[in-house]
Amino acid sequence: QVLLVESGGGSVQAGGSLRLSCVASGEGYSTYRMGWFRQAPGKEREGVAVRNRYGGTIYADSVKGRFTISQDNTLDLQMNSLKPEDTAMYYCAAGKFGPMSLRPYDYAYWGQGTQVTVSS
Protein backbone atom coordinates (compact mmCIF):
# COMPACT_ATOMS: atom_id res chain seq x y z
CA GLN A 1 0.00 0.00 0.00
CA VAL A 2 1.01 3.60 -0.66
CA LEU A 3 -0.02 6.52 1.54
CA LEU A 4 -0.34 9.94 -0.09
CA VAL A 5 -0.89 13.24 1.72
CA GLU A 6 -1.50 16.52 -0.11
CA SER A 7 -1.02 20.08 1.09
CA GLY A 8 -0.83 23.61 -0.30
CA GLY A 9 -4.40 24.26 -1.37
CA GLY A 10 -6.18 27.49 -0.63
CA SER A 11 -8.02 30.47 -2.06
CA VAL A 12 -6.45 32.82 -4.59
CA GLN A 13 -7.58 35.50 -7.03
CA ALA A 14 -7.49 34.88 -10.77
CA GLY A 15 -3.97 35.29 -12.12
CA GLY A 16 -2.38 34.20 -8.87
CA SER A 17 -0.27 31.15 -8.06
CA LEU A 18 -0.31 28.17 -5.73
CA ARG A 19 2.09 25.29 -5.17
CA LEU A 20 0.68 21.92 -4.15
CA SER A 21 2.81 19.24 -2.51
CA CYS A 22 2.32 15.50 -2.05
CA VAL A 23 4.22 13.34 0.42
CA ALA A 24 4.29 9.62 -0.40
CA SER A 25 5.23 6.60 1.70
CA GLY A 26 4.90 2.84 1.37
CA GLU A 27 6.32 -0.17 -0.43
CA GLY A 28 7.99 0.70 -3.73
CA TYR A 29 6.30 4.08 -4.15
CA SER A 30 9.45 5.65 -5.61
CA THR A 31 9.09 3.49 -8.74
CA TYR A 32 5.42 4.37 -9.29
CA ARG A 33 3.96 6.75 -11.81
CA MET A 34 2.54 9.71 -9.89
CA GLY A 35 0.37 12.65 -10.75
CA TRP A 36 -2.23 15.25 -9.94
CA PHE A 37 -5.94 15.01 -10.67
CA ARG A 38 -8.87 17.29 -9.91
CA GLN A 39 -12.62 17.11 -9.51
CA ALA A 40 -15.13 19.94 -9.40
CA PRO A 41 -18.62 19.47 -7.90
CA GLY A 42 -20.90 17.60 -10.29
CA LYS A 43 -18.08 16.80 -12.71
CA GLU A 44 -15.94 13.74 -13.39
CA ARG A 45 -12.43 13.49 -12.03
CA GLU A 46 -9.83 14.50 -14.62
CA GLY A 47 -6.08 14.17 -14.97
CA VAL A 48 -4.07 17.37 -14.66
CA ALA A 49 -0.42 16.31 -14.85
CA VAL A 50 1.48 13.04 -14.38
CA ARG A 51 5.15 12.13 -14.10
CA ASN A 52 7.29 8.99 -14.03
CA ARG A 53 10.55 8.49 -12.16
CA TYR A 54 12.59 9.34 -15.26
CA GLY A 55 11.03 12.76 -15.66
CA GLY A 56 8.57 12.01 -18.43
CA THR A 57 5.42 14.10 -18.14
CA ILE A 58 1.91 14.44 -19.55
CA TYR A 59 -0.23 17.55 -19.09
CA ALA A 60 -3.89 18.18 -19.74
CA ASP A 61 -4.40 20.66 -22.57
CA SER A 62 -6.24 23.00 -20.21
CA VAL A 63 -3.16 23.55 -18.01
CA LYS A 64 -0.26 23.42 -20.48
CA GLY A 65 2.00 26.43 -20.11
CA ARG A 66 0.54 27.30 -16.70
CA PHE A 67 1.15 24.25 -14.47
CA THR A 68 4.41 22.39 -13.87
CA ILE A 69 4.78 19.01 -12.16
CA SER A 70 8.07 18.16 -10.46
CA GLN A 71 9.42 15.65 -7.98
CA ASP A 72 12.28 15.73 -5.50
CA ASN A 73 11.50 14.91 -1.87
CA THR A 74 7.83 15.50 -2.66
CA LEU A 75 5.63 15.53 -5.75
CA ASP A 76 4.78 19.16 -6.46
CA LEU A 77 2.42 21.01 -8.76
CA GLN A 78 3.29 24.65 -9.43
CA MET A 79 0.15 26.42 -10.65
CA ASN A 80 0.52 29.84 -12.24
CA SER A 81 -1.95 32.16 -13.97
CA LEU A 82 -4.82 30.47 -12.17
CA LYS A 83 -8.32 30.78 -13.60
CA PRO A 84 -11.74 30.37 -11.94
CA GLU A 85 -12.24 27.17 -13.95
CA ASP A 86 -9.26 25.67 -12.10
CA THR A 87 -11.38 25.59 -8.94
CA ALA A 88 -11.60 21.96 -7.77
CA MET A 89 -10.48 19.43 -5.22
CA TYR A 90 -6.97 18.38 -6.24
CA TYR A 91 -5.76 14.84 -5.59
CA CYS A 92 -2.35 13.23 -5.62
CA ALA A 93 -2.33 9.70 -7.08
CA ALA A 94 0.09 6.83 -7.73
CA GLY A 95 0.00 3.79 -10.01
CA LYS A 96 2.34 0.89 -10.66
CA PHE A 97 1.25 -0.98 -13.78
CA GLY A 98 0.81 0.02 -17.39
CA PRO A 99 1.93 3.10 -19.29
CA MET A 100 1.65 6.60 -17.91
CA SER A 101 -1.71 8.23 -18.60
CA LEU A 102 -4.15 10.92 -17.48
CA ARG A 103 -6.92 8.37 -16.87
CA PRO A 104 -7.90 8.30 -13.15
CA TYR A 105 -8.71 4.57 -13.26
CA ASP A 106 -5.07 3.77 -14.10
CA TYR A 107 -4.05 4.93 -10.62
CA ALA A 108 -4.67 2.74 -7.59
CA TYR A 109 -3.62 4.95 -4.69
CA TRP A 110 -5.12 8.32 -3.81
CA GLY A 111 -4.72 11.06 -1.25
CA GLN A 112 -7.68 12.72 0.45
CA GLY A 113 -7.39 15.90 -1.60
CA THR A 114 -6.69 19.58 -1.08
CA GLN A 115 -9.15 22.30 -2.12
CA VAL A 116 -8.16 25.00 -4.62
CA THR A 117 -10.52 27.94 -5.08
CA VAL A 118 -9.86 30.67 -7.65
CA SER A 119 -12.01 33.81 -7.58
CA SER A 120 -12.51 36.29 -10.41
Side-chain angles (χ1 to χ4, degrees):
Q1 292 292 320
V2 175
L3 177 64
L4 305 171
V5 181
E6 307 98 330
S7 63
S11 297
V12 65
Q13 294 185 6
S17 299
L18 285 173
R19 187 175 181 87
L20 307 183
S21 181
C22 174
V23 177
S25 61
E27 183 70 24
Y29 77 89
S30 63
T31 67
Y32 286 16
R33 303 162 182 82
M34 299 184 67
W36 289 94
F37 298 76
R38 66 187 182 187
Q39 186 168 22
K43 297 183 178 180
E44 295 183 5
R45 189 168 299 185
E46 63 176 348
V48 176
V50 298
R51 184 187 190 277
N52 64 24
R53 60 175 171 168
Y54 302 110
T57 59
I58 302 175
Y59 291 92
D61 288 342
S62 60
V63 306
K64 287 180 179 177
R66 299 189 297 119
F67 292 9
T68 303
I69 188 170
S70 61
Q71 186 170 16
D72 191 359
N73 187 46
T74 59
L75 180 75
D76 298 328
L77 184 69
Q78 179 65 46
M79 304 185 293
N80 298 324
S81 301
L82 283 163
K83 305 174 180 179
E85 52 263 43
D86 294 319
T87 296
M89 184 73 74
Y90 282 71
Y91 299 90
C92 177
K96 183 176 182 179
F97 303 106
M100 190 168 57
S101 79
L102 288 170
R103 298 178 298 177
Y105 41 82
D106 284 341
Y107 295 80
Y109 305 103
W110 295 84
Q112 293 187 346
T114 185
Q115 179 68 39
V116 171
T117 302
V118 184
S119 60
S120 60

